[in-house]
Amino acid sequence: MSVILAIWGQEKTGKTTLALSAPKPIRYFEFDIGGYDRAKDGQGVKKLGIDMSKVIHSLHLMPLQAQIKLLTPTVKGAMESKLVIGMKELWYSYLTQYITALDQPDIQTIVLDTFTVVWEICGMAYLQEKQEGQFDSSGKLPPSERIREQLKQIEYKEPNTRMRAILYLAKSKKKNLILVHHARDGYISQINADGRREDVRSGKQELAGWGYIGDIADVIVRTDWKSEPNTTITLCGLAPKATGIEIENATYDDIFKRVNFIRMS
């Protein structure tokens, strides 16, 4: 059975190592530089006996959002740009490779690291499309137009649809999909001393990124570090009673052995 597993946690808590323990061959898309190189040569991969020869890796970095101009014939300078640069091209380049991986029968698992950044690229790519639609056929911005700097709330329907399609396509092709996420500070709404409602930090961490992941992922786990890497199942649609289980030095198999045991009980 193919599954969608979301992993989230702070830096250096074993997210990438856990993702690399999934069934192989793995097609690994890296959007957030650092974690993959750190993990592939780390002690966790060696300790778990992960075969890196069965991992196909590619790097997809966000382009610099700045205008580069020649200040002198030999010196370049960076200037602020309100135009989104290269995000649409990055999105469709990655998407083409993702669809190709889905169609390869030998690929068992696809990893997107991090899905937090994929969501950012998705939104920025759509904003770039909106900006490009503002220019006339000669490539000029009409005098009455101001360049768009953000999407309207109602316009997020399209990026949300694109993100869902990524997950649904993996399901339809029966591929395991591992979505690695950053963590962020959680916030709660409360009334302040002036009687106004404000958002304040809750003191807890939460998954950072696309807000609908909990509706589609089969299992969500959080990684942290105690004396050893620790994994906690924070949401489990396959077996709700598995929520809250903690596993030390967890692998993909460890998680789903626990989940399936509870599921069949």
Side-chain angles (χ1 to χ4, degrees), residues 209-230:
W210 189 50
Y212 297 96
I213 192 67
D215 297 339
I216 304 175
D218 297 303
V219 179
I220 300 178
V221 301
R222 183 186 73 243
T223 59
D224 57 18
W225 188 275
K226 295 183 178 178
S227 58
E228 294 285 341
N230 186 72

Side-chain angles (χ1 to χ4, degrees), residues 93-114:
S93 172
Y94 141 69
L95 200 58
T96 299
Q97 294 178 57
Y98 178 73
I99 292 169
T100 300
L102 289 174
D103 287 334
Q104 293 176 335
D106 58 320
I107 297 295
Q108 298 296 306
T109 301
I110 296 175
V111 178
L112 305 181
D113 184 1
T114 63

Side-chain angles (χ1 to χ4, degrees), residues 78-258:
M79 302 179 67
E80 180 185 6
S81 174
K82 292 182 179 180
L83 287 173
V84 178
I85 301 168
M87 289 294 196
K88 182 185 75 172
E89 292 77 10
L90 174 61
W91 172 258
Y92 287 109
S93 172
Y94 141 69
L95 200 58
T96 299
Q97 294 178 57
Y98 178 73
I99 292 169
T100 300
L102 289 174
D103 287 334
Q104 293 176 335
D106 58 320
I107 297 295
Q108 298 296 306
T109 301
I110 296 175
V111 178
L112 305 181
D113 184 1
T114 63
F115 205 54
T116 306
V117 175
V118 172
W119 171 232
E120 185 175 351
I121 294 169
C122 182
M124 292 291 285
Y126 190 54
L127 176 57
Q128 182 178 342
E129 292 174 27
K130 288 291 187 182
Q131 287 183 343
E132 290 173 351
Q134 292 184 267
F135 292 87
D136 62 26
S137 58
S138 65
K140 295 182 179 179
L141 188 68
S144 61
E145 290 272 0
R146 293 183 63 184
I147 198 70
R148 297 277 305 275
E149 294 187 47
Q150 62 184 19
L151 294 175
K152 300 173 184 176
Q153 193 63 39
I154 194 172
E155 291 174 334
Y156 276 96
K157 179 181 179 181
E158 178 61 24
N160 282 323
T161 298
R162 295 180 184 187
M163 295 292 279
R164 286 190 183 91
I166 290 172
L167 277 65
Y168 292 154
L169 279 170
K171 283 274 192 183
S172 70
K173 296 291 185 176
K174 299 188 182 338
K175 303 291 187 186
N176 298 309
L177 183 60
I178 313 296
L179 307 170
V180 182
H181 295 76
H182 295 303
R184 68 184 175 196
D185 290 331
Y187 284 81
I188 57 173
S189 182
Q190 66 178 31
I191 305 298
N192 64 20
D194 296 328
R196 292 180 294 181
R197 186 169 295 278
E198 64 179 358
D199 292 333
V200 297
R201 289 182 179 179
S202 66
K204 297 181 180 180
Q205 294 273 293
E206 63 184 22
L207 181 151
W210 189 50
Y212 297 96
I213 192 67
D215 297 339
I216 304 175
D218 297 303
V219 179
I220 300 178
V221 301
R222 183 186 73 243
T223 59
D224 57 18
W225 188 275
K226 295 183 178 178
S227 58
E228 294 285 341
N230 186 72
T231 299
T232 304
I233 299 174
T234 60
L235 183 68
C236 186
L238 297 177
K241 290 183 178 179
T243 301
I245 288 177
E246 295 188 27
I247 308 170
E248 192 173 277
N249 284 310
T251 64
Y252 176 98
D253 284 344
D254 292 333
I255 292 168
F256 286 98
K257 281 179 182 177
R258 300 285 186 95

